[in-house]
């Protein structure tokens, strides 16, 4: 019995949204969120496309994720089953997590971090990383997480753009048995200039191998929280208060700081956990993403905790110590819902063909009841392999289409309701008015490819680009389409018979490599920054493993590069 029980129930929900759009969202907001002060207006469209949701309402996101569950008797329930790169497992209950988050929040306050300040988080996959995000939400500080694989330059650009006053990091990051010195990269980024607003660097001892600490600025996380109380009154914020800014590539060189709200974002994270993943109290949910991406925000840090779920959080990589790691973990932790990227699936198909021992059939995956795919369209061959070998043809696959900007799933099959079609993300969720249009915003008939748009605002949508409202309007609500349609930046087609959507790839200069968006201009400017390079042009080409691969054409100042120089240029990215 899925949360959305069958196609008739799905159609009834879609109809309710069409007939009374604001009433539909109000009902869901009242049922799902704990408000400190009720909202007075559901949707404010007076300053389109800068839409506001649940105007006048107040709440705290962290309290909605932690305090609410503890108050509802889930304090002793496991919130996080954390598995480190080396296989060491730590279980964290909702009460433990609330205490940890409260201590970090009090620590931040002791450093003078307050509501409205921005904090950059550059950390490994860890309970501490999730707790740091929740601690920011608890005191009303806006977090900006930067993926731990990004370079010092990328980190510096984001610290400068968001105006961060503090940075969370770790001495090292451990992935696939290798260590990466995160704190050194932070020091390098701060030394590049423009980061004068950063007063504090908080360092989590991941390996304990130490890091160079600057007196007066740097503090170890364990020292910061040692004397703090494990009680911290949540700071109540407005519905529209910026919960986080997350940078994503655009078609110009400069990354875009996607700004998300508090209430609308959290509501959609909860609803999609319920609708798409059909989450139940005894589920063990596992999303394999990193907190540096939107998937890790919505389906690790916020969604699962807001619905009181137990989830697996994994530090490592799917191929270490061998390519059976995912299957072995599903077997050991009895995961019931597994959500990963097509790139990971394709690499594991290859590995299992080469070695029977790491084939999913060598493991007991009978605990699984639902599979998911995220980040890029999944090709039908990989879909079928996943369905047969991992799900034993009994687990529905939710092939979720969404973006950093949308905050959560937009078009996806619903388990128990939607007929599954390999390679198609099927139908929009209730309340999501998706359509395929031509270059001037006119509706196209089903069966004809065009531009994917969303016709009405929805609660978890991007609010603006941090510090650049004009770019926000141009990027997402272009005048060419009438200024009112949200432009997803993807091409799509709807099936003539069933209305299912299939995503056909980007319509701009953005490449999708392993589900990560990379602007061609961003890569080009990074190449040209190398003193050997005069000019660079970047294009994508189809790739069996990553979906799309980067091909760079480079003109040097002087002679043609030899192998070593070519390597050096590639490494400078």
């Amino acid at each position: 019995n899925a949360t959305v029980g069958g196609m008739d129930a799905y159609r009834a929900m879609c109809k309710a949204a069409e007939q009374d759009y604001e009433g539909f969202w109000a009902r869901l907001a009242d049922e799902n969120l704990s408000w400190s002060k009720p909202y007075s207006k559901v949707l404010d469209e007076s300053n389109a496309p800068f839409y506001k949701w649940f105007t006048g309402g107040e709440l705290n996101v962290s309290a909605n994720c932690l305090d609410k569950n503890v108050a509802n008797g889930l304090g002793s329930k496991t919130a996080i089953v954390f598995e480190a790169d080396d296989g060491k497992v730590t279980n964290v209950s909702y009460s433990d997590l609330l205490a940890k988050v409260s201590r970090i929040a009090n620590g931040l306050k002791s450093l003078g971090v307050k509501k409205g300040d921005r904090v950059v988080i550059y950390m490994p996959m860890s309970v501490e990383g999730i707790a740091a995000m929740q601690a920011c939400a608890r005191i009303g500080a806006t977090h900006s997480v930067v993926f731990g694989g990004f370079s010092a330059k990328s980190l510096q650009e984001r610290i400068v753009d968001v105006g961060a006053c503090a940075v969370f990091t770790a001495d090292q990051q451990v992935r696939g048995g290798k260590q990466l010195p995160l704190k050194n990269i932070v020091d390098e980024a701060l030394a590049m200039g423009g980061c004068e607003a950063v007063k504090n660097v908080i360092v989590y001892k991941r390996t304990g191998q130490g890091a160079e600490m600057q007196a007066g600025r740097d503090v170890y996380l364990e020292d910061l929280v040692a004397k703090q109380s494990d009680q911290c009154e949540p700071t109540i914020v407005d519905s529209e208060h910026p919960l986080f800014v997350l940078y994503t590539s655009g078609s110009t060189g400069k990354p875009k700081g996607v700004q998300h709200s508090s209430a609308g974002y959290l509501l959609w994270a909860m609803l999609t956990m319920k609708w798409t993943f059909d989450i139940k109290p005894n589920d063990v949910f596992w999303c394999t993403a990193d907190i540096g991406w939107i998937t890790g925000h919505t389906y690790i840090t916020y969604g699962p905790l807001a619905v009181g779920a137990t989830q697996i959080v994994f530090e490592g990589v799917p191929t270490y110590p061998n390519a059976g790691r995912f299957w072995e973990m599903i077997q050991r932790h009895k995961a019931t819902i597994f959500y990963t990227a097509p790139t990971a699936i394709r690499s594991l198909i290859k590995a299992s063909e080469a070695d029977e021992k790491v084939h999913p059939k060598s493991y007991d995956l009978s605990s699984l009841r639902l599979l998911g795919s995220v980040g890029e369209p999944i090709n039908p061959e990989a879909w079928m392999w996943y369905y047969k070998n991992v799900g034993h043809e009994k687990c529905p696959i939710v092939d979720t289409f969404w973006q950093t900007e949308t905050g959560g799933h937009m078009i996806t099959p619903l388990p128990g309701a939607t007929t599954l079609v390999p390679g198609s993300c099927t139908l929009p969720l209730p309340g999501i008015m998706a359509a395929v249009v031509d270059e001037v915003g006119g509706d196209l008939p089903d069966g004809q490819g065009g531009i994917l748009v969303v016709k009405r605002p929805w609660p978890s949508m991007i609010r603006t680009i941090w510090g650049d409202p004009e770019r926000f309007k141009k990027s997402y609500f272009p005048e060419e389409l009438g200024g009112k349609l949200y432009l997803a930046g993807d091409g799509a087609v709807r099936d003539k018979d069933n209305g299912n959507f299939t995503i056909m790839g980007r319509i701009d200069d953005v490449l999708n490599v392993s589900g990560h968006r990379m602007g061609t201009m961003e890569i080009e400017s990074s190449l040209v920054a190398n003193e050997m390079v005069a000019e660079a042009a970047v294009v994508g080409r189809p790739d069996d493993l990553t979906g799309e691969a980067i091909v760079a054409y480079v003109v040097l100042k002087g002679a043609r590069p030899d192998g070593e120089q070519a390597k050096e240029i590639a490494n400078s990215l």
Side-chain angles (χ1 to χ4, degrees), residues 4 12 20 81 114 126 133 139 150 172 195 295 362 383 390 396 400 409 425 450 455 479 482 494:
V4 178
D20 177 10
V81 177
K114 57 191 188 308
S126 53
M133 293 166 78
I139 65 169
F150 277 2
Q172 276 89 24
C195 306
T295 307
S362 305
W383 193 101
V390 182
T400 58
H409 304 149
C425 51
K455 292 191 161 185
E479 282 306 325
R494 288 198 85 161

Side-chain angles (χ1 to χ4, degrees), residues 549-562:
I550 299 167
V551 179
Y553 296 91
V554 174
V555 178
L556 290 199
K557 299 169 183 164
R560 192 185 170 94
D562 60 28

Side-chain angles (χ1 to χ4, degrees), residues 35 37 39 52-61 115 140 235-243 261-264:
W35 296 93
K37 180 183 161 201
Y39 53 90
K52 291 192 167 119
W53 282 88
F54 311 119
T55 317
E58 292 179 359
L59 80 177
N60 179 276
V61 169
K115 178 175 164 179
T235 301
I236 303 307
V237 299
D238 184 83
S239 294
E240 283 296 317
H241 180 76
L243 175 63
S261 74
S262 294

Side-chain angles (χ1 to χ4, degrees), residues 105-115 117 139 165-166 200 224:
N106 287 327
L108 283 170
K109 282 193 199 166
S110 75
L111 297 174
V113 180
K114 57 191 188 308
K115 178 175 164 179
D117 284 345
I139 65 169
C165 70
N200 299 100
L224 179 68

Side-chain angles (χ1 to χ4, degrees), residues 429-501:
L429 287 168
I432 302 300
M433 310 298 183
V436 178
V437 301
D438 60 22
E439 284 76 12
V440 289
D443 283 306
L444 286 171
D446 287 355
Q448 202 173 323
I451 297 165
L452 180 64
V453 297
V454 184
K455 292 191 161 185
R456 296 287 319 258
W458 67 98
S460 69
M461 68 190 293
I462 175 177
R463 292 307 194 259
T464 186
I465 290 174
W466 182 263
D468 201 341
E470 278 312 303
R471 187 178 177 194
F472 166 72
K473 281 201 294 205
K474 271 202 195 91
S475 299
Y476 302 111
F477 293 90
E479 282 306 325
E480 302 81 45
L481 297 180
K484 285 284 177 78
L485 301 177
Y486 169 81
L487 174 68
D490 284 290
V493 63
R494 288 198 85 161
D495 188 281
K496 275 212 249 315
D497 300 325
N498 50 32
N500 281 346
F501 282 80

